[in-house]
Amino acid sequence: MDRTTLLQQAEQLRRRWFRQLQAIEGAPNWPKGWERLEYLRSLIKQVEQLGEEDWAEQEEAQQLSLIVQEARNL
């Protein structure tokens, strides 16, 4: 998967998670979900800042790719 596709899919996932969090606001697992969303946002920003050439080798990009792939498999 290329960097642009990864970032697009990650943004779609971020929006989906945000909508889900809005739907469960106040529920016991809401704070944990918010932490997960913030982590995803952080990874997206970090991958956006990586250079085009070496982005795939970076830990942040690998972690973001793993999250996106796992979400697709659910």
Side-chain angles (χ1 to χ4, degrees):
M1 171 180 329
D2 66 35
R3 182 172 172 260
T4 302
T5 302
L6 175 61
L7 288 170
Q8 288 172 344
Q9 290 182 3
E11 267 303 314
Q12 290 171 356
L13 180 60
R14 184 196 61 78
R15 287 190 296 272
R16 187 174 73 195
W17 283 1
F18 183 76
R19 286 190 303 272
Q20 290 171 348
L21 280 171
Q22 286 179 314
I24 66 164
E25 188 169 352
N29 58 347
W30 186 81
K32 185 104 172 143
W34 194 256
E35 283 179 29
R36 186 175 73 159
L37 179 65
E38 287 300 317
Y39 180 63
L40 179 62
R41 284 180 179 169
S42 170
L43 285 175
I44 290 170
K45 285 181 182 181
Q46 291 175 40
V47 171
E48 286 174 339
Q49 294 173 356
L50 294 174
E52 279 289 331
E53 295 175 14
D54 62 345
W55 72 272
E57 298 169 6
Q58 301 299 318
E59 182 179 341
E60 298 86 355
Q62 293 171 1
Q63 187 65 32
L64 184 59
S65 180
L66 181 64
I67 291 170
V68 169
Q69 288 174 3
E70 287 177 350
R72 267 191 292 177
N73 293 335
L74 292 179

